[in-house]
Amino acid sequence: MDTRVQFYHNTPDRLALACELVARAHGKGRKVAVRLPDTTSAQQLDRLLWTSEPLAFVPHVMLDSPLAAETPVVLGTADADADWPHGDTLFNLAPDLPPAFDRFRLVIEIVGQSEAEKVPARARWSAYRQRGLETKAFDAERRVAL
């Protein structure tokens, strides 16, 4: 399986964009793993997924939940990189390259506007390209492919 990689960069609110894209992926029947930098951001995304659209339920649990294997959207933190129960789509909001990213069909990187987020994102872009993976960039503000 060839992993495809998409970067959504230039977003003012990474968690809001992740919430939107995760809901869209779930709506298309995708199984989704979301890798976040820390517990605080995982809790924030959890709340966003419950409250973003009242009629759009996105079933999700944390990676350590006993229901993770049965739930279409799983949230985890970078320091707890265990075995993801799904291998379809991985959203990465952590600053490093996800371990075992190549077991996913699609990896989506979400990058903010600060240099602190852009610098490690450039390193991840290079690492994916060095591995011969197809990468695509989208300006998250304009929603156009670059």
Side-chain angles (χ1 to χ4, degrees), residues 19 44-56 58 60:
C19 184
Q44 290 171 331
L45 183 59
D46 175 48
R47 278 193 299 278
L48 276 174
L49 286 168
W50 282 112
T51 60
S52 66
E53 291 184 47
L55 299 177
V58 178
H60 65 281

Side-chain angles (χ1 to χ4, degrees), residues 71-98:
T71 307
V73 177
V74 179
L75 311 180
T77 58
D79 63 352
D81 267 319
D83 249 355
W84 293 100
H86 313 305
D88 186 15
T89 304
L90 172 66
F91 285 83
N92 186 40
L93 283 83
D96 59 334
L97 200 64

